[in-house]
Amino acid sequence: MSVKLSQTNDANLIQLDGEVDIASAADLKAALIEAAKDKKEIRVSAEGASSLDVTAYQLLWAAKREAKRANAKFSLPSELPETIRRAWTEMGLDDLASPA
Amino acid sequence: MTSTPVSANAEQFKNSFREEGREILTDLESALLELNENHGDSDLIGRIFRGLHTLKGSGSMFGFERLAAFTHDLETAFDMVRNGRLEVTAELVDQTLSALDQISAMLEEDTGGGTPADEAVCANIISNVRRLAGIQSGKEPAQKKASTPTANPPALASGKSQSWRIYFAPGPDLMRCGANPALILQELRGLGGLSVHAEMKSVPPLAEMDPERCYIAWELVLETAAGLDAIKDAFIFVESNCELAIELASGASADKAALKPTNKVDKTAKVLAEKRAQPGGRRAYDKAENVSSLRVPAERLDQLVNLVGELVTVQARLSELANQRDDTEVTEVAEEVERLTGALRENSMNIRMVPIRGTFEKFRRLVHDLSRDLGKKVELAIEGADTELDKTVIDQLSDPLMHLIRNSMDHGVESPETRAARGKRATAVIHLAARYSGASVLISVSDDGNGIDKEAVRAKAIERGLATADAKLSDSEIFAFIFNAGFSTAKQVTDVSGRGVGMDVVRQSIEGLRGTIEVKSETGAGTCVTLKLPLTLAIIDGLLVIVGETNYVLPLSATLECIELTRADVVANNGKHIVNVRGELVPYVRLREHFHVRGEAPAIEQIMLVETDTGRFGLVVDQVLGNCQTVIKNLGRFYRHVQFVSGATILGNGTVALILDPGRLMQDVMRYARCSRKIRVAASGGGSQNNSVVSSVPGGTNNAGPDAGGNELKQ
C-alpha cells in the first residue's frame, strides 16, 4: 500500500494504492495535513486502492469536514472501487464521496 | 511518501496474538482439567467455548489460517456442549487437551521454537472430535475458510425473531490490537438483518487525531432469532476494549434515532453520552482507572532493572563523594537521590514480580496426563498461587517443579489398589504450595504416598561409595543423596523417571537460583520437598561490613542486630565462641579466622547476629559500615563452588564487595569444624569414631568447595 502526495497548480493530489489501513494511517494523516496547508483543493484518488479501512475513512472524513469549514474543496472520485464502496455502506459510512 | 511496511505491523500483530494465544491455551487447559472433574459446569463450558472461539477468530484474523481451521471443529463441539446437544466426556476432554498441544505448536511454528504440529495427530484428533460430536466431515463448516466467521449459522436460535439495539464504540487500542469493526458488523449481519448508523461526533480535528484509533461509534438494530449470547459472541475479541450496550428493542423495528447506549442490559456499557458528543471527547475507557494493565516485553523490564542497577551503583558513588566533601548542600542532594533511587528500585523490582499461579496451574495437565499413563488417581491441590516472585526466578522454576511432581507420582504415590489396602483414599493428593518467609519464598511439593525408603537410599549410597557402611547418617543427610547425579533406587526405569536425572536437575536449578532444598519424609505417610528461594535475584538491601581490608555485604533480611565484642568478652568466655544475648547463648564465627585474614583485629569488633535455617548465630566483623542497596553481580563459573558467597557488588568507591549467604556460610563453618575434628581424630588414631559422609551433600544443604582462604574442603 502507499500514500502519495503530489501538487498541481490548482490542487493537491493524494493518491492511495493497495490496502490503506492502520499501517498507513499515520502517512495518510500527514499527507492530509500537508495538503490542507495552502487551502487548495484536495483531490483524493483511490482508484488504485483495494480497501480503505475505518482509520482511513475517518481521516478522510475529518479532512473533508475541515475543508468545508475553510471553504476549500475536497473531492473523492465518485467512482470508488466497488469493494470499498460496499464496505463503507455496510458500515454505515456512506456520505464521504458526496461533494463538499 | 511511503507508508510503513505492512510486514512489520503484521509481524507485530502476530506476536501479540501469540502472546494472547499462549494465555488462552493456559486458561483452556486449566478449564478443561476442571471440567474433567465437573462435567456439568456451564461456566467452564462457556469459558472453553469462548477461548476456542477467540483462538479461531483471532487466529484467522492474524494469518494463522491452519490454526483457525483446526480449532473450528473443537469450537463446534463445545458450542454443541453449551447448547446441551453434546455431553462432556473424559474422551472429549482428552482429545481437546491433545488438540491444545497441536494448537500450541502451530502458534510457535514461525518462531523457530518447539516441535511443529503433527499433521497425522491433528487429523486423528479432528476425526475423533467429529465422531464424538457427530459432525459429518462432508457437510460441516470446518471445510469453510475460518476467516469467514459470518458464514456460520446463528449459534443460538431461539426460533422467534427479535429486534436488538446495539451500541458499539471501539476503545482506543481496538484497531492497534488488530481488531476490525467491519468484521464484527459482518458477523452480526450473519445473524440476521442489520441496520447500521455510524456516529461521527467523536471524530476530533485532523491535527488532534490519533491515526490508529477508531473514533467512530455504531448504533445498530439487529433483527435475529439468535439469542443474546450469540450476539455477544460477535464482540468476543473486543469486549474488554470497547463500550458495548445490547438490549432488546420493544418493537419489531426500532427507531434508529431513538437508539441510545444503555447499561441496563449489559454492565460493560459505559454511558458518557454528553462527553462523547464533543469532538474528540474522552470516552469512559480513556479514564486512567480503566487502563488496568499493559503488556510489556520481558526484555524491556530486564533492561529497566539493569539500568536501575547501574543507577544504584552510581548513586552509591555519589553518596560516597558527598560524604567526603562535607558539603551540606551536596549531601542533601545525594540523600534525596538515594531516597528516589531506593523508591525507583523498589518500584522496578515490583514490576517484575509475578504470581506463581501460571507456573502452578501448568502442572494440572502434567498430573492429569501422568495419572492416566501410570494408572494412578491423583489430585493436584494448589495453595498460595498468588505468591509473587521475580519473573527470572519463576522462569527457572518450571523444570525443578516438574521433576519433583513426576518423581512424586512415579515413586511416591501408590496404585489405587495399594492405597486401598493401606486404608488410604484411592485418590492421592499432590500438594503444591507457596508462601512468603522473610525475603524468601517457600515452595513445597508434598504427597501422601509411600514416603522415601530411607534404607534403600542408604544402601544405594553405600553401594555407590557415597557413604561408608558404618556411617551414622541423619534423615536429612540420607535424603540429600537423592539429589546426586545418577542416584536412583528405582528398580525399573520408566518413561516418567528412574534414571536419577530429575532430582539432580532440581538441585542444580535451585542452586542456580541461590535457593535451598529441604526434604521431609515419613514412611507410608508421604514426602514433602520444600524449596526456599530468594524473592529476587537482582537487587537487595544489604549491610556493608568490613573484615581486614575487604568489604562484605550481608543481606539485611537475614540480620537481626549488632553487638560489640571486646577482647575482655573473649577472655571472660574462656575463648569460646559464644556470646550471651539477653540470656540466650549464641555461637559466633570470627570471619577473620574463617577467611584466614592476616593482621590484628581491632580492640572492639562487631558481632552481626543473623538468622538462618539452622538457627541464630553471630558473624564477627571488624566494623559495620551501614546499609547499602546491593546490585547482585554473578561471580562467574570460577567461583561457582564457593557456595557461601552469593555474588558480588560494586561499591560507591568502585571496590568490589562479596555478598555473603549467612545460611550457607554457617553450614560451611560447621562442615569445616567437623572436618577438622575428623582430621584430629584420625591423627590421634581414633578411626573407629568415623561417622563421615564421603560425598559432598548436594541440594544446597551442604556443599564442598574451596573456602575464601583457598583451602580445599572436599573430603
Side-chain angles (χ1 to χ4, degrees):
Chain A
M1 91 252 112
S2 74
V3 178
K4 284 178 188 154
L5 173 65
S6 57
Q7 292 185 328
T8 62
N9 287 338
D10 57 343
N12 289 316
L13 181 68
I14 294 173
Q15 191 181 324
L16 306 176
D17 288 307
E19 216 171 292
V20 185
D21 56 15
I22 187 169
S24 48
D27 287 346
L28 178 56
K29 178 186 169 181
L32 287 166
I33 288 174
E34 186 63 29
K37 277 183 180 167
D38 55 9
K39 312 282 184 196
K40 280 199 278 193
E41 180 186 353
I42 299 172
R43 278 186 214 144
V44 179
S45 160
E47 283 84 354
S50 56
S51 70
L52 266 74
D53 82 344
V54 69
T55 57
Y57 181 90
Q58 63 187 10
L59 285 165
L60 295 172
W61 188 89
K64 184 181 175 183
R65 179 177 63 185
E66 278 163 42
K68 195 174 178 181
R69 285 177 188 158
N71 286 322
K73 279 185 77 176
F74 182 97
S75 59
L76 264 170
S78 53
E79 294 301 316
L80 275 173
E82 178 54 25
T83 49
I84 295 176
R85 188 170 293 282
R86 194 173 63 238
W88 284 4
T89 305
E90 283 179 2
M91 296 186 77
L93 312 170
D94 48 8
D95 61 348
L96 197 58
S98 59
Chain B
M1 192 179 296
T2 309
S3 60
T4 316
V6 72
S7 56
N9 275 289
E11 200 44 48
Q12 190 185 340
F13 290 147
K14 276 190 158 188
N15 285 334
S16 291
F17 173 67
R18 277 193 193 101
E19 283 188 27
E20 188 192 356
R22 286 178 201 127
E23 284 172 14
I24 294 171
L25 285 172
T26 306
D27 185 58
L28 275 172
E29 194 170 274
S30 173
L32 279 163
L33 292 166
E34 282 182 56
L35 186 68
N36 206 27
E37 303 299 317
N38 187 1
H39 287 188
D41 191 323
S42 56
D43 286 345
L44 287 172
I45 293 165
R47 197 167 119 199
I48 293 163
F49 171 76
R50 283 193 297 277
L52 292 168
H53 186 68
T54 307
L55 277 177
K56 186 190 87 171
S58 296
S60 166
M61 200 182 297
F62 296 115
F64 291 81
E65 297 291 346
R66 190 160 150 245
L67 181 154
F70 179 65
T71 313
H72 181 84
D73 280 330
L74 299 162
E75 183 205 12
T76 306
F78 275 89
D79 191 25
M80 291 169 73
V81 171
R82 73 175 186 156
N83 292 333
R85 290 187 283 141
L86 181 66
E87 272 188 27
V88 175
T89 58
E91 191 184 357
L92 178 65
V93 171
D94 271 344
Q95 290 298 326
T96 313
L97 283 169
S98 304
L100 296 189
D101 296 337
Q102 298 303 319
I103 293 171
S104 174
M106 290 176 194
L107 200 61
E108 309 297 341
E109 258 166 14
D110 292 340
T111 62
T115 321
D118 187 321
E119 288 294 344
V121 174
C122 288
N124 191 39
I125 292 168
I126 289 299
S127 158
N128 287 333
V129 169
R130 283 178 177 169
R131 174 178 51 78
L132 290 168
I135 302 170
Q136 291 176 7
S137 58
K139 296 176 184 173
E140 68 79 46
Q143 299 303 316
K144 293 176 188 169
K145 280 186 81 95
S147 56
T148 55
T150 54
N152 293 344
L156 270 179
S158 63
K160 185 183 164 192
S161 183
Q162 290 175 304
S163 182
W164 296 86
R165 299 195 304 178
I166 303 163
Y167 179 81
F168 167 53
D173 290 323
L174 184 134
M175 299 296 292
R176 273 189 278 264
C177 293
N180 187 347
L183 292 177
I184 294 168
L185 299 187
Q186 203 180 1
E187 188 158 352
L188 287 174
R189 200 164 269 117
L191 295 176
L194 186 72
S195 69
V196 182
H197 172 68
E199 173 62 66
M200 306 295 292
K201 283 179 189 167
S202 297
V203 179
L206 188 60
E208 294 172 22
M209 279 176 81
D210 171 353
E212 296 184 352
R213 173 176 175 171
C214 178
Y215 294 92
I216 304 170
W218 282 270
E219 295 169 352
L220 313 164
V221 176
L222 175 65
E223 298 283 343
T224 179
L228 181 62
D229 280 350
I231 299 171
K232 280 185 171 178
D233 283 348
F235 297 93
I236 203 163
F237 311 135
V238 297
E239 59 189 357
S240 60
N241 202 355
C242 72
E243 287 181 38
L244 180 64
I246 307 170
E247 68 173 7
L248 209 50
S250 50
S253 60
D255 178 7
K256 192 191 285 183
L259 184 62
K260 295 288 175 198
T262 174
N263 58 359
K264 282 181 187 168
V265 176
D266 193 324
K267 288 178 183 171
T268 60
K270 304 277 194 296
V271 183
L272 282 180
E274 66 288 350
K275 283 193 178 179
R276 203 180 299 116
Q278 300 161 10
R282 287 166 66 84
R283 291 177 177 161
Y285 38 64
D286 290 345
K287 286 194 284 186
E289 61 264 37
N290 286 332
V291 186
S292 56
S293 65
L294 200 64
R295 198 185 290 270
V296 178
E299 57 266 32
R300 284 199 197 171
L301 290 184
D302 293 343
Q303 204 177 5
L304 174 70
V305 170
N306 286 340
L307 288 170
V308 170
E310 297 301 320
L311 183 65
V312 166
T313 307
V314 173
Q315 173 268 312
R317 198 167 160 215
L318 175 67
S319 297
E320 178 94 14
L321 289 172
N323 286 338
Q324 289 169 8
R325 295 281 164 93
D326 198 22
D327 180 328
T328 318
E329 274 187 71
V330 174
T331 306
E332 274 178 18
V333 173
E335 283 174 358
E336 187 64 9
V337 171
E338 187 175 343
R339 189 183 65 75
L340 289 170
T341 311
L344 178 64
R345 186 205 73 172
E346 200 160 306
N347 267 286
S348 53
M349 294 311 294
N350 279 341
I351 294 172
R352 286 214 318 193
M353 300 299 271
V354 288
I356 200 163
R357 180 178 300 282
T359 305
F360 276 9
E361 290 291 340
K362 264 194 324 198
F363 294 115
R364 286 196 189 281
R365 174 74 185 277
L366 178 71
V367 170
H368 170 268
D369 289 357
L370 283 181
S371 299
R372 183 193 55 209
D373 297 347
L374 295 168
K376 295 178 179 177
K377 290 184 177 174
V378 186
E379 274 174 19
L380 179 68
I382 289 175
E383 192 185 330
D386 291 327
T387 308
E388 290 187 334
L389 268 159
D390 191 298
K391 192 182 172 301
T392 321
V393 179
I394 284 196
D395 287 347
Q396 295 174 57
L397 260 181
S398 277
D399 273 4
L401 288 177
M402 179 193 72
H403 286 296
L404 288 173
I405 292 173
R406 288 168 76 98
N407 216 54
S408 262
M409 293 197 62
D410 201 17
H411 301 308
V413 171
E414 313 94 327
S415 66
E417 299 76 31
T418 311
R419 290 180 65 84
R422 288 178 179 173
K424 289 181 173 180
R425 267 181 74 216
T427 304
V429 178
I430 290 186
H431 199 92
L432 199 50
R435 66 182 171 88
Y436 294 109
S437 171
S440 304
V441 167
L442 301 179
I443 295 171
S444 59
V445 181
S446 53
D447 64 62
D448 59 353
N450 250 335
I452 298 172
D453 184 344
K454 277 180 273 189
E455 279 314 307
V457 173
R458 185 190 156 86
K460 193 76 181 180
I462 293 167
E463 181 191 316
R464 292 193 56 192
L466 298 170
T468 54
D470 59 347
K472 290 173 185 170
L473 302 174
S474 66
D475 283 359
S476 62
E477 282 173 325
I478 292 174
F479 296 147
F481 287 126
I482 64 174
F483 295 99
N484 268 298
F487 192 97
S488 176
T489 57
K491 293 179 181 67
Q492 204 178 342
V493 174
T494 68
D495 289 343
V496 181
S497 61
R499 294 184 190 278
V501 175
M503 300 306 260
D504 182 39
V505 170
V506 173
R507 177 183 62 90
Q508 287 187 25
S509 304
I510 301 306
E511 277 182 5
L513 291 167
R514 295 203 300 276
T516 57
I517 308 170
E518 185 189 74
V519 184
K520 285 182 181 166
S521 184
E522 197 179 325
T523 309
T527 302
C528 177
V529 179
T530 304
L531 313 176
K532 185 175 183 181
L533 297 159
L535 276 171
T536 177
L537 297 175
I539 309 175
I540 57 164
D541 278 317
L543 201 61
L544 190 61
V545 299
I546 191 161
V547 179
E549 291 177 357
T550 311
N551 293 304
Y552 296 93
V553 173
L554 292 167
L556 199 60
S557 58
T559 59
L560 299 172
E561 62 180 302
C562 181
I563 300 164
E564 283 188 352
L565 178 71
T566 63
R567 285 174 187 165
D569 294 333
V570 178
V571 173
N573 279 322
N574 297 321
K576 287 180 182 165
H577 288 188
I578 287 174
V579 65
N580 188 328
V581 183
R582 294 180 288 279
E584 184 191 355
L585 293 176
V586 179
Y588 62 75
V589 178
R590 297 175 71 99
L591 291 184
R592 269 183 168 271
E593 289 174 12
H594 192 65
F595 293 163
H596 303 277
V597 176
R598 289 184 186 143
E600 197 176 336
I604 301 174
E605 294 172 280
Q606 305 293 327
I607 305 176
M608 282 307 313
L609 286 188
V610 292
E611 186 81 61
T612 71
D613 288 345
T614 46
R616 185 175 294 194
F617 67 98
L619 295 173
V620 179
V621 300
D622 290 0
Q623 205 184 338
V624 177
L625 299 176
N627 286 359
C628 65
Q629 293 179 54
T630 308
V631 182
I632 304 172
K633 305 276 186 193
N634 283 330
L635 279 173
R637 290 172 59 81
F638 188 70
Y639 292 97
R640 68 186 186 279
H641 292 304
V642 189
Q643 295 290 336
F644 57 81
V645 175
S646 52
T649 190
I650 301 165
L651 301 176
N653 59 9
T655 57
V656 172
L658 296 175
I659 304 164
L660 298 176
D661 180 332
R664 289 188 172 176
L665 179 60
M666 195 56 198
Q667 286 160 8
D668 191 67
V669 169
M670 282 160 37
R671 197 161 46 85
Y672 188 69
R674 274 205 307 270
C675 181
S676 304
R677 194 163 54 240
K678 192 180 71 179
I679 291 165
R680 282 198 300 274
V681 169
S684 64
S688 61
Q689 293 177 40
N690 185 353
N691 63 349
S692 66
V693 179
V694 179
S695 73
S696 63
V697 184
T701 51
N702 202 343
N703 293 282
D707 70 2
N711 289 349
E712 186 64 32
L713 292 177
K714 200 166 271 179
Q715 296 165 54

